[in-house]
Amino acid sequence: MSWAMEIETPTYTDLVVIGAGPAGLMAACWAARYHVNVRILDDKPERVLTGHADGLTCRTLEIFDSFGIAHEVCSEASVDVQMRYWRPNGVGGLERFQSLISQKPGVSRFQQCLLSQGRIEELLERVCAEGGVLVERNMETLELGPIEEDESCKYPIEVKIRRKVNPGTPSEQEPAVDANDSIDDHGIKVIRCKYLIGADGAHSWTRRQLGIAATGASTDECWGVIDLVPLTNFPDIRQSCVISSLHGNIHVVPRERQLVRLYIQLESATPGERLDRSKITAEMLISTTKKILHPYTFEYASIDWFTVYQVGQRIADKFSAAERVFLVGDAVHTHSPKIGQGMNVSLQDAYNLSWKICSVIKGILKSSSLASYETERRPVAEELIDVDRETVSFYCSRGAIDRGGLQEFRNKHYRFLSGVAVDYSGSEMISPKHVSLPRFDDEPSTEACESLVEERFSHICLGQRLPSYRVVKHANAEPTSVGSLLSSNGRWKLLIFTGDLRVEAQAVRFNNVSKAISATSCSIRQRSALDMGCQASVDIFAIMACPRDSVPLLSLPEIYHPWNESTGWEYDTVYTDEPDVYGVCEDAYGRYGIDRTRGCLVLCRPDQHVAYCGELEHTAGLELFCSRIFMETRSECD
Amino acid sequence: MSWAMEIETPTYTDLVVIGAGPAGLMAACWAARYHVNVRILDDKPERVLTGHADGLTCRTLEIFDSFGIAHEVCSEASVDVQMRYWRPNGVGGLERFQSLISQKPGVSRFQQCLLSQGRIEELLERVCAEGGVLVERNMETLELGPIEEDESCKYPIEVKIRRKVNPGTPSEQEPAVDANDSIDDHGIKVIRCKYLIGADGAHSWTRRQLGIAATGASTDECWGVIDLVPLTNFPDIRQSCVISSLHGNIHVVPRERQLVRLYIQLESATPGERLDRSKITAEMLISTTKKILHPYTFEYASIDWFTVYQVGQRIADKFSAAERVFLVGDAVHTHSPKIGQGMNVSLQDAYNLSWKICSVIKGILKSSSLASYETERRPVAEELIDVDRETVSFYCSRGAIDRGGLQEFRNKHYRFLSGVAVDYSGSEMISPKHVSLPRFDDEPSTEACESLVEERFSHICLGQRLPSYRVVKHANAEPTSVGSLLSSNGRWKLLIFTGDLRVEAQAVRFNNVSKAISATSCSIRQRSALDMGCQASVDIFAIMACPRDSVPLLSLPEIYHPWNESTGWEYDTVYTDEPDVYGVCEDAYGRYGIDRTRGCLVLCRPDQHVAYCGELEHTAGLELFCSRIFMETRSECD
Ligand SMILES: Cc1cc2nc3c(=O)[nH]c(=O)nc-3n(C[C@H](O)[C@H](O)[C@H](O)COP(=O)(O)OP(=O)(O)OC[C@H]3O[C@@H](n4cnc5c(N)ncnc54)[C@H](O)[C@@H]3O)c2cc1C
Ligand SMILES: Cc1cc2nc3c(=O)[nH]c(=O)nc-3n(C[C@H](O)[C@H](O)[C@H](O)COP(=O)(O)OP(=O)(O)OC[C@H]3O[C@@H](n4cnc5c(N)ncnc54)[C@H](O)[C@@H]3O)c2cc1C
């Protein structure tokens, strides 16, 4: 190239993501949805093909659904409906002593399952590609410059990278994303960006460049992980189970293509010493397995992948630098893979962070909102580490597992591990409780509490993700999950639970709230499709508690069915909670804890967490909340 | 090419399919699954992109599921849950007078829906391609030679084709399937094959080459069909509805991408005369729509596609020639598109025929089985024509529609239109009733009859497709629909409903049937994975009526969990009907009408239709049925 000598001719981009594992890809998915300029770089030639993580919690599936890939994941995954526990039977054998369901009913409309990390990455990469975002592989990261503190500097971050000289062979054609980058004599490129996300895994280069330490310790517990096709007469080999024998512990996790994963406890290494992984072979894992499973026979047809690790838990001292460079996923917390949370929590870190960065880049949110990443995610990381530590020691204390202890242990951590109870209340990006005191924040009735389905988190809780129940689409009677309205399109969602509009007083209240929201000065209206068309940053939905025929859709104020020249009126915005023709409605009002006459209003963030809820009259509080976090509309960015 | 002069150097293939519409593609899907040598040719440069058919019955979705594409279809399709009816209100306007559910509950685990023919063809083409079968487009068919009657001739059919000289531009790269074909000076190729399927639509070239007439008549009713984005205040524009006004009738059918399809009744043409379609414009359809919908307003944003047709019903005099050349789909029956059956019945013709041809080619079935195509499908075609004729005249007789008449009319044809009640009993490919008289062929109890869910066809009926209920997979407690076991992999399915194996007498009966089936002389065993591995032509499943833990999977005879060196034991073959952890079991035994103690055995064909059912002792009858239709095992073909 003619300007190859001009070192330091940077390429400018809004966002750089280092690492294309689950966390980095999820960050890029958001960027694709927001149409933000992004570069996502990985130093490896290919995505993960075998092994690694596989457990998907129901919350992760809800997030996948919001990106349109849950039905594929669910149709390919191994189900995980029941967990079984085995222990010595006292006469030299093993006995099954308990079966527990893996996921309590009513927690989510998705069922936790297992699918290989490689396939998950492939699907996320497709979501990125559909938005024009392609992963650049074989990219070496060389240097992360100091972040410029000058407020007027639009691209305060500089990162030097180089395409690897002897790269591994990628299995697919590499995209020419970098065709226009300048390079110097040594092939080095300089990229300047507004924000950078370090999603580069447990040994994070980004974290080290920032000089951020990861605090924690290793234990001397060693575990092997192996994916194989087993040949055994052990009866529960095709379902999740834990075997605690006198010779150690095994977790069995079934996978796709007749594969089974075994987590195998190995003899402890010398206390305090790091395990020499290179000395452990697959055959050693197999022979330990044989001992643990005895008297059941155990052979295998083929081995797909294996690894060995020493359990350790670490958490980064800081999650970001200058609110410009952020760390997500394994880069910020590491732990044992035993509790199947690695991929989930990592994805969810990025799911929490990246929409905020994109919104700031797009001029929708104030940059102060970025502080909420650490406020919201550090407690999750800490709980993760705690639960992991407890779990490892619980299962490692041989013989400690008995019927009662097990149930108690699972009940204690169940809410956290399901992923749906994560609570961001207290964050600056969630309205403080005292602004609105909706009646449905009361404890649910005793009756409801006793029912398995009526978990406490089925109600609307500020800071938690909105649970999903089925309602009926006004326009065509289609059964629709409320969760499916909360797609990850980058927009906030204002749900107006209208109550029963046949009640005259309620119709008046509804008209008032509609007028308030329709006022040209209202910040919701200014961000809705009514004023912004497809540039909208808030979607508005109405969910009625009266039969669809009692109120024609087009008789509602236009804010609920905005007009578009090429597609006509919007019909996908109005729903009713009525027993429909198939009885598929689930009494959404009742389950959310909303009074069927009075209704309420709920504002969800782009990541489905409830930011605000209140009575229909509480639009002033809503306006106040919006003014704190949103930029003025039509503000110029760039 | 050097041998271009050697005219008549034919290419040999097992099966040729003329036409790559829904029927032709479905025929090719089977060929792909059976790994049969097939050529599928279409004279058009591209598949259908807009318009055409869109209604999918639940039976079609069951078939799609058996090829692995139902979840995609369902996630993309417009739902069709409710049908509404409008009539003049007596004061110059219109009134809605009835809402009926589109599909009765319990009929199928799939819900009828709407998706464009083009997308359906794309998905079927993908199923073909996954099996290595690629469509050859731009292929002109020139001549179908007389079928050789000499029994010793292996390829008795000759067809001359030519790649079009000035083909339209295909949107995708064309596959070079024909690279090895010889061509003569004029570019003509000669293909010789064992069987040929004419799936070339209403004006079938194949039918004309065979000299088979299509008998029937045109009526003088004219209808226009238009796909557009409507701008209207008519309330039911986003759901299926029928509007019978004083100015004519309209059917509204919502489609993907904000499109709506309107079927519009036009003023009758001169009696007896064919309509001059060229004279009718989209604007004329719009202005008729405006009149019919008055006083509602009607404009449109854009028009996607439109067509005009004169209603006529025809059926071919014969469905095949010499049981070598067969006609399917519109090639054999045409009718109005009003009842939304065109694509469904056409697909189902091919679904019925093609597995039989493939099985004969593969040496699995005797060639005499091919006669059953016409035995089984002609009655369906005839009923289709009748229902169509009745429907057209019902909706065209203005003012005839009232609440009672409508309900009665729909009830009359409901079973047929749902597609699940098609009954092939009486065919040579279904065991005659007197061979086995299982108790569950009795009328269901009155109680069951009165419940909406317990339709008569929920029981096991010889000749009908097996309905599907959820059971639990023994190996991992996974909720599983029995329907999902009946995948279109080309194999017959023997379901052993074992009954309750905790009852000793029943355990004895089960052991006896297992022994009979496991005997090396048993024709089921000879065709199962136990003897044939992946060459098997019968899959065996056990469905128990006792808890999974009462009988370990590997304690069942090996015929239920055959061993494979590379994948170990088969774990996906044993199920139980017990209330599982989530309560998802649906009392399959009860709904099928099977005694929970005694069980029964059921043989389904590769197309899911019940060919045989009987008491566990009735293996002799099963053997007799098999000997009538199956070739001797390991017979050489080719
Ligand atoms: C060997 C191994 C085995 C595992 N086994 C299990 C298991 O059995 N069960 C389980 O639940 N979890 C397991 N995990 C953990 C799980 O994979 C992680 O928790 C999860 O992948 C975290 O996602 P992430 O995106 O944060 O990091 P990662 O998935 O680690 O992704 C980081 C990405 O960044 C790239 N990268 C790293 N440094 C740079 C750089 N300097 N420049 C550019 N790119 C860079 C890497 O190539 C990688 O693609 C395992 C992880 C590993 C590494
Ligand atoms: C214009 C039109 C509009 C329709 N509208 C509706 C509707 O609104 N609603 C509805 O339910 N149904 C509609 N139908 C009917 C529906 O499309 C058919 O019932 C269904 O497609 C039948 O499938 P098939 O595969 O039997 O035939 P087709 O779909 O007609 O497929 C036949 C294929 O054979 C090819 N072919 C024809 N002759 C030759 C030859 N000599 N050599 C090679 N290839 C050949 C054609 O190119 C075509 O691809 C419509 C059909 C048409 C043609």
Side-chain angles (χ1 to χ4, degrees):
Chain A
M1 264 177 228
S2 62
W3 62 90
M5 288 300 297
E6 299 171 33
I7 319 183
E8 305 281 301
T9 303
T11 306
Y12 294 92
T13 191
D14 289 330
L15 174 63
V16 168
V17 179
I18 308 284
L25 287 167
M26 175 53 73
C29 284
W30 269 131
R33 288 291 163 98
Y34 275 93
H35 307 290
V36 151
N37 252 317
V38 65
R39 298 282 288 262
I40 170 167
L41 316 168
D42 202 287
D43 63 354
K44 290 215 226 73
E46 286 201 281
R47 72 174 149 254
V48 156
L49 295 179
T50 52
H52 295 76
D54 52 8
L56 298 171
T57 64
C58 54
R59 177 58 190 148
T60 298
L61 293 169
E62 292 176 1
I63 292 170
F64 285 169
D65 181 62
S66 75
F67 284 104
I69 56 172
H71 66 276
E72 257 166 294
V73 171
C74 294
S75 76
E76 293 174 24
S78 308
V79 297
D80 178 13
V81 295
Q82 191 191 49
M83 185 89 176
R84 289 182 145 182
Y85 298 87
W86 291 74
R87 65 181 175 198
N89 66 358
V91 291
L94 293 168
E95 64 176 11
R96 188 196 291 132
F97 71 99
Q98 196 153 27
S99 301
L100 296 173
I101 55 172
S102 300
Q103 178 179 315
K104 296 193 184 176
V107 162
S108 169
R109 67 195 203 282
F110 294 100
Q111 170 67 36
Q112 69 182 56
C113 59
L114 302 147
L115 191 61
S116 69
Q117 182 168 330
R119 178 62 179 145
I120 298 297
E121 291 183 7
E122 189 177 358
L123 288 167
L124 293 174
E125 225 179 298
R126 202 183 66 197
V127 172
C128 291
E130 282 163 5
V133 176
L134 302 175
V135 177
E136 299 171 65
R137 301 195 185 272
N138 277 319
M139 287 299 186
E140 211 174 338
T141 41
L142 303 172
E143 194 189 325
L144 179 62
I147 304 163
E148 301 234 14
E149 289 181 15
D150 181 356
E151 288 268 306
S152 70
C153 176
K154 280 190 171 169
Y155 297 88
I157 305 161
E158 183 175 291
V159 58
K160 290 209 177 88
I161 59 170
R162 180 170 50 193
R163 181 173 289 272
K164 285 191 180 172
V165 240
N166 287 318
T169 331
S171 56
E172 289 155 51
Q173 189 91 34
E174 265 183 73
V177 181
D178 59 348
N180 295 323
D181 294 346
S182 305
I183 51 169
D184 75 2
D185 282 352
H186 308 284
I188 297 173
K189 310 166 181 217
V190 178
I191 298 188
R192 293 201 69 102
C193 61
K194 295 177 179 165
Y195 294 94
L196 185 140
I197 298 178
D200 43 2
H203 308 287
S204 174
W205 170 87
T206 313
R207 192 184 65 225
R208 284 177 285 126
Q209 289 280 307
L210 295 173
I212 294 176
T215 317
S218 292
T219 68
D220 47 3
E221 283 293 340
C222 294
W223 289 76
V225 191
I226 189 163
D227 288 348
L228 45 66
V229 175
L231 306 177
T232 175
N233 60 357
F234 177 71
D236 288 345
I237 196 68
R238 293 293 321 159
Q239 78 162 71
S240 297
C241 63
V242 175
I243 303 134
S244 310
S245 94
L246 300 171
H247 305 282
N249 296 319
I250 285 185
H251 279 208
V252 175
V253 182
R255 298 188 61 139
E256 65 280 5
R257 293 182 292 121
Q258 312 289 347
L259 288 173
V260 168
R261 164 165 294 188
L262 304 175
Y263 288 96
I264 306 152
Q265 187 184 16
L266 302 173
E267 291 302 296
S268 304
T270 323
E273 236 174 59
R274 268 204 92 73
L275 174 79
D276 182 358
R277 296 179 175 200
S278 63
K279 294 225 177 98
I280 296 189
T281 63
E283 280 315 317
M284 289 162 73
L285 300 184
I286 301 291
S287 86
T288 307
T289 302
K290 285 186 180 181
K291 265 192 249 161
I292 294 175
L293 280 185
H294 179 82
Y296 293 104
T297 59
F298 187 86
E299 301 292 339
Y300 64 91
S302 59
I303 294 176
D304 200 49
W305 177 82
F306 84 98
T307 191
V308 175
Y309 61 88
Q310 186 154 16
V311 173
Q313 291 95 5
R314 292 172 193 275
I315 191 164
D317 292 351
K318 284 171 62 190
F319 281 39
S320 75
E323 269 147 39
R324 287 286 180 174
V325 179
F326 296 84
L327 301 171
V328 293
D330 279 9
V332 82
H333 43 67
T334 58
H335 50 92
S336 83
K338 273 287 290 299
I339 53 174
Q341 290 288 316
M343 179 158 58
N344 295 285
V345 177
S346 297
L347 280 164
Q348 285 163 31
D349 284 345
Y351 187 65
N352 178 288
L353 170 67
S354 185
W355 70 267
K356 294 173 187 167
I357 293 183
C358 294
S359 299
V360 171
I361 290 170
K362 284 284 174 187
I364 298 165
L365 289 184
K366 296 180 182 169
S367 61
S368 56
S369 60
L370 298 178
S372 68
Y373 169 59
E374 186 159 348
T375 322
E376 292 176 0
R377 295 303 295 179
R378 176 179 283 281
V380 175
E382 283 167 354
E383 188 162 359
L384 174 67
I385 299 291
D386 289 347
V387 172
D388 185 51
R389 200 176 285 136
E390 272 196 60
T391 305
V392 170
S393 73
F394 182 78
Y395 286 114
C396 288
S397 54
R398 293 177 194 160
I401 302 176
D402 63 30
R403 202 174 265 274
L406 193 60
Q407 181 93 56
E408 195 187 322
F409 184 80
R410 280 185 36 113
N411 281 347
K412 183 168 161 199
H413 297 301
Y414 180 74
R415 281 169 56 99
F416 177 74
L417 293 177
S418 73
V420 300
V422 165
D423 186 346
Y424 300 148
S425 61
S427 150
E428 50 272 62
M429 291 290 285
I430 301 292
S431 175
K433 280 241 168 19
H434 64 263
V435 169
S436 58
L437 285 169
R439 65 183 61 215
F440 45 83
D441 238 355
D442 299 347
E443 278 299 312
S445 70
T446 342
E447 188 193 12
C449 273
E450 274 165 18
S451 138
L452 250 179
V453 182
E454 290 293 340
E455 289 287 332
R456 177 69 184 90
F457 45 73
S458 69
H459 282 238
I460 296 174
C461 299
L462 268 177
Q464 293 187 20
R465 74 87 165 91
L466 189 74
S468 176
Y469 301 109
R470 274 196 302 270
V471 291
V472 158
K473 192 185 279 189
H474 192 297
N476 66 356
E478 177 179 359
T480 309
S481 296
V482 171
S484 73
L485 308 181
L486 311 179
S487 77
S488 289
N489 57 8
R491 295 196 283 274
W492 294 63
K493 313 288 189 297
L494 180 64
L495 309 184
I496 308 283
F497 288 89
T498 71
D500 188 344
L501 297 179
R502 293 167 302 184
V503 177
E504 209 183 298
Q506 182 63 9
V508 170
R509 293 181 72 224
F510 171 67
N511 275 340
N512 288 340
V513 64
S514 302
K515 254 188 226 150
I517 297 168
S518 305
T520 47
S521 62
C522 172
S523 62
I524 294 288
R525 180 204 163 110
Q526 289 165 3
R527 289 171 176 80
S528 76
L530 200 61
D531 278 16
M532 298 290 282
C534 56
Q535 302 288 308
S537 52
V538 180
D539 286 336
I540 300 174
F541 296 96
I543 302 176
M544 316 196 304
C546 42
R548 47 202 278 264
D549 291 337
S550 63
V551 183
L553 193 151
L554 295 180
S555 74
L556 296 177
E558 205 185 337
I559 193 117
Y560 303 108
H561 53 89
W563 169 273
N564 174 305
E565 276 207 357
S566 61
T567 57
W569 279 298
E570 178 62 59
Y571 284 98
D572 296 336
T573 41
V574 183
Y575 297 83
T576 67
D577 176 29
E578 59 172 320
D580 71 87
V581 282
Y582 290 100
V584 293
C585 269
E586 300 181 306
D587 183 23
Y589 271 71
R591 295 192 178 210
Y592 283 131
I594 303 171
D595 185 306
R596 288 191 74 86
T597 306
R598 297 184 60 79
C600 72
L601 53 84
V602 177
L603 181 68
C604 292
R605 312 194 308 191
D607 64 357
Q608 310 184 331
H609 283 256
V610 177
Y612 185 93
C613 59
E615 295 271 8
L616 291 184
E617 283 75 15
H618 289 184
T619 48
L622 181 66
E623 195 68 12
L624 183 66
F625 173 72
C626 292
S627 69
R628 282 217 213 93
I629 60 155
F630 281 114
M631 296 285 279
E632 298 279 297
T633 45
R634 296 173 202 287
S635 82
E636 251 20 80
C637 71
D638 266 33
Chain B
M1 267 179 229
S2 62
W3 62 91
M5 285 303 296
E6 300 172 33
I7 317 182
E8 303 284 299
T9 303
T11 305
Y12 293 92
T13 192
D14 289 331
L15 174 63
V16 167
V17 179
I18 308 285
L25 288 168
M26 176 53 73
C29 285
W30 270 131
R33 288 291 163 98
Y34 274 93
H35 307 292
V36 151
N37 252 319
V38 64
R39 299 280 291 260
I40 170 166
L41 316 166
D42 201 289
D43 64 351
K44 288 215 227 74
E46 286 200 281
R47 73 173 150 257
V48 155
L49 296 177
T50 53
H52 297 75
D54 53 8
L56 299 170
T57 64
C58 53
R59 178 58 190 149
T60 298
L61 293 169
E62 292 176 0
I63 293 170
F64 285 169
D65 181 63
S66 76
F67 283 104
I69 57 172
H71 66 277
E72 258 166 293
V73 171
C74 294
S75 78
E76 293 174 24
S78 308
V79 298
D80 178 13
V81 294
Q82 192 192 50
M83 185 87 175
R84 290 184 144 179
Y85 298 87
W86 291 74
R87 65 181 174 198
N89 66 357
V91 290
L94 294 168
E95 64 177 9
R96 188 197 291 133
F97 71 100
Q98 197 152 27
S99 300
L100 297 173
I101 56 173
S102 300
Q103 178 180 315
K104 293 193 188 178
V107 162
S108 169
R109 67 197 204 281
F110 293 100
Q111 169 66 36
Q112 69 182 53
C113 59
L114 301 148
L115 191 61
S116 69
Q117 183 168 330
R119 179 62 180 144
I120 297 297
E121 292 183 7
E122 190 177 358
L123 288 167
L124 293 174
E125 226 179 298
R126 203 183 67 198
V127 172
C128 292
E130 282 163 5
V133 176
L134 301 175
V135 177
E136 300 170 65
R137 300 195 185 273
N138 277 318
M139 287 298 186
E140 212 174 338
T141 41
L142 302 174
E143 194 188 327
L144 179 62
I147 303 164
E148 301 233 14
E149 287 180 19
D150 180 355
E151 288 266 309
S152 70
C153 177
K154 281 190 170 170
Y155 296 89
I157 305 160
E158 181 174 293
V159 57
K160 290 209 177 89
I161 59 170
R162 178 171 51 191
R163 181 174 289 274
K164 285 193 179 171
V165 237
N166 287 316
T169 330
S171 55
E172 290 155 51
Q173 190 89 33
E174 264 183 75
V177 182
D178 58 347
N180 295 323
D181 294 347
S182 306
I183 52 169
D184 75 2
D185 283 353
H186 308 286
I188 296 173
K189 309 169 181 213
V190 177
I191 298 188
R192 292 201 70 100
C193 59
K194 295 176 179 166
Y195 295 94
L196 186 140
I197 299 177
D200 44 0
H203 306 290
S204 173
W205 171 85
T206 314
R207 192 186 64 225
R208 283 177 286 126
Q209 289 281 307
L210 295 174
I212 295 176
T215 318
S218 293
T219 68
D220 48 3
E221 283 294 337
C222 295
W223 289 76
V225 191
I226 189 164
D227 288 348
L228 46 65
V229 175
L231 306 176
T232 174
N233 60 358
F234 178 70
D236 289 342
I237 197 68
R238 293 293 321 158
Q239 77 163 73
S240 297
C241 64
V242 175
I243 303 135
S244 311
S245 94
L246 299 172
H247 305 283
N249 297 320
I250 285 185
H251 278 208
V252 174
V253 182
R255 299 188 62 139
E256 65 281 3
R257 294 181 292 120
Q258 312 289 347
L259 289 173
V260 168
R261 164 166 294 190
L262 304 175
Y263 288 95
I264 307 152
Q265 186 183 18
L266 302 173
E267 290 302 297
S268 304
T270 324
E273 236 173 63
R274 269 203 92 71
L275 175 76
D276 183 358
R277 296 178 177 201
S278 63
K279 293 223 176 100
I280 297 191
T281 63
E283 280 314 318
M284 289 163 74
L285 300 184
I286 302 291
S287 87
T288 307
T289 303
K290 285 186 182 184
K291 263 191 251 162
I292 294 174
L293 280 186
H294 179 83
Y296 292 105
T297 59
F298 187 85
E299 301 293 338
Y300 65 92
S302 59
I303 293 174
D304 200 49
W305 177 81
F306 84 97
T307 191
V308 176
Y309 61 88
Q310 186 155 15
V311 173
Q313 290 95 4
R314 292 173 195 274
I315 191 164
D317 292 350
K318 284 172 61 191
F319 281 39
S320 76
E323 266 145 45
R324 287 286 180 174
V325 178
F326 297 84
L327 301 171
V328 293
D330 278 10
V332 82
H333 42 67
T334 57
H335 51 92
S336 83
K338 270 289 287 303
I339 53 174
Q341 291 288 318
M343 180 159 54
N344 295 285
V345 176
S346 298
L347 279 165
Q348 286 162 33
D349 284 345
Y351 187 66
N352 178 287
L353 170 67
S354 184
W355 69 268
K356 294 173 186 166
I357 293 182
C358 293
S359 298
V360 171
I361 290 171
K362 283 283 172 187
I364 299 165
L365 289 184
K366 296 184 182 166
S367 61
S368 56
S369 61
L370 299 177
S372 69
Y373 170 60
E374 185 158 348
T375 323
E376 292 177 359
R377 294 304 295 178
R378 177 180 282 281
V380 176
E382 281 168 355
E383 187 162 0
L384 175 67
I385 300 291
D386 288 347
V387 173
D388 185 53
R389 199 176 285 136
E390 272 198 59
T391 306
V392 170
S393 74
F394 183 79
Y395 285 115
C396 288
S397 55
R398 291 172 198 166
I401 302 176
D402 63 33
R403 202 175 263 272
L406 194 57
Q407 182 92 56
E408 195 187 323
F409 184 79
R410 281 189 31 118
N411 282 346
K412 183 169 164 201
H413 297 301
Y414 180 73
R415 283 169 55 100
F416 177 75
L417 293 177
S418 73
V420 300
V422 166
D423 187 347
Y424 298 149
S425 60
S427 151
E428 49 273 62
M429 291 289 286
I430 301 291
S431 175
K433 280 240 169 21
H434 64 264
V435 169
S436 60
L437 284 169
R439 65 183 60 211
F440 46 79
D441 238 354
D442 300 347
E443 279 298 312
S445 71
T446 342
E447 188 193 12
C449 273
E450 273 166 19
S451 139
L452 251 180
V453 182
E454 291 293 341
E455 287 288 334
R456 177 71 184 91
F457 45 76
S458 69
H459 283 240
I460 295 174
C461 299
L462 269 176
Q464 292 187 21
R465 73 84 165 94
L466 188 74
S468 176
Y469 302 109
R470 273 195 303 270
V471 290
V472 159
K473 192 186 278 187
H474 192 297
N476 66 356
E478 178 179 357
T480 309
S481 296
V482 171
S484 72
L485 308 182
L486 311 180
S487 77
S488 289
N489 57 9
R491 295 195 282 273
W492 294 63
K493 313 287 186 300
L494 179 65
L495 309 185
I496 309 282
F497 287 88
T498 72
D500 188 344
L501 298 179
R502 293 168 303 184
V503 176
E504 209 183 298
Q506 182 63 10
V508 170
R509 293 182 71 225
F510 172 66
N511 276 340
N512 288 341
V513 65
S514 302
K515 256 188 227 148
I517 297 169
S518 304
T520 47
S521 62
C522 172
S523 63
I524 293 288
R525 181 205 161 108
Q526 289 164 4
R527 289 171 177 81
S528 76
L530 199 61
D531 279 15
M532 298 291 282
C534 58
Q535 303 287 313
S537 52
V538 180
D539 286 336
I540 301 175
F541 296 96
I543 302 176
M544 316 194 306
C546 43
R548 48 202 278 265
D549 291 338
S550 63
V551 183
L553 193 150
L554 294 181
S555 74
L556 296 177
E558 204 185 337
I559 192 122
Y560 303 107
H561 53 87
W563 168 274
N564 175 305
E565 276 207 358
S566 61
T567 57
W569 279 298
E570 178 63 59
Y571 285 98
D572 296 337
T573 40
V574 183
Y575 297 83
T576 67
D577 176 30
E578 60 173 318
D580 71 82
V581 283
Y582 290 100
V584 293
C585 269
E586 298 180 311
D587 183 22
Y589 271 71
R591 295 193 180 211
Y592 283 131
I594 302 172
D595 185 306
R596 287 191 76 85
T597 306
R598 298 184 59 79
C600 71
L601 52 82
V602 177
L603 181 68
C604 292
R605 312 194 308 191
D607 65 355
Q608 311 183 331
H609 282 256
V610 178
Y612 185 90
C613 57
E615 295 272 9
L616 291 184
E617 284 75 15
H618 289 185
T619 48
L622 182 65
E623 196 66 11
L624 183 66
F625 174 71
C626 291
S627 69
R628 281 217 213 95
I629 60 156
F630 281 113
M631 296 284 280
E632 298 280 298
T633 44
R634 297 174 204 283
S635 82
E636 254 15 82
C637 72
D638 262 35

